């Protein structure tokens, strides 16, 4: 899903159901914002986490080029969401 402009343009990333631990393993021991910064090294990235799909789409009706919405599934997959409809 990575696009080159993510490392240079102002970006907003929204993550739903971010895992903290799986069994005894810490998935994001320093936090998701730090992990994203180490991947893109873009000082203009904003990270938000949400407890549910409904919560994010009540605030942001649709994803856009510079505002991406991702959901962690129960199996650990990361799924990009575009609207509330595509999550049902």
């Amino acid at each position: 899903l990575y696009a080159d402009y993510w490392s240079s343009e102002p970006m907003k990333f929204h993550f739903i159901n971010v895992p903290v631990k799986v069994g005894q393993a810490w998935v994001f021991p320093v936090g998701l914002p730090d992990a994203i910064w180490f991947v893109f090294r873009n000082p203009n990235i904003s990270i938000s986490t949400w407890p549910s799909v409904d919560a994010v789409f009540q605030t942001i009706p649709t994803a856009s080029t510079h505002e991406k919405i991702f959901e962690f599934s129960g199996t650990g997959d990361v799924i990009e969401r575009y609207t509330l409809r595509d999550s049902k």
Side-chain angles (χ1 to χ4, degrees):
L1 296 173
Y2 173 79
D4 287 337
Y5 68 90
W6 292 8
S7 62
S8 59
E9 298 290 324
M11 295 294 300
K12 292 183 180 180
F13 290 108
H14 302 275
F15 292 93
I16 305 161
N17 300 324
V18 177
V20 177
K21 282 180 82 172
V22 175
Q24 296 299 314
W26 289 94
V27 178
F28 295 110
V30 295
L32 185 58
D34 287 343
I36 296 297
W37 186 87
F38 279 111
V39 170
F40 299 112
R41 299 194 184 259
N42 180 348
N44 298 312
I45 286 181
S46 170
I47 307 292
S48 299
T49 58
W50 301 85
S52 70
V53 173
D54 290 334
V56 70
F57 284 112
Q58 286 176 359
T59 304
I60 302 155
T62 60
S64 66
T65 302
H66 289 84
E67 191 159 24
K68 301 295 183 182
I69 300 168
F70 299 100
E71 181 181 11
F72 285 90
S73 73
T75 61
D77 295 329
V78 179
I79 303 157
E80 186 170 6
R81 299 295 184 198
Y82 300 96
T83 65
L84 182 57
R85 272 179 304 171
D86 77 343
S87 65
K88 300 292 182 193

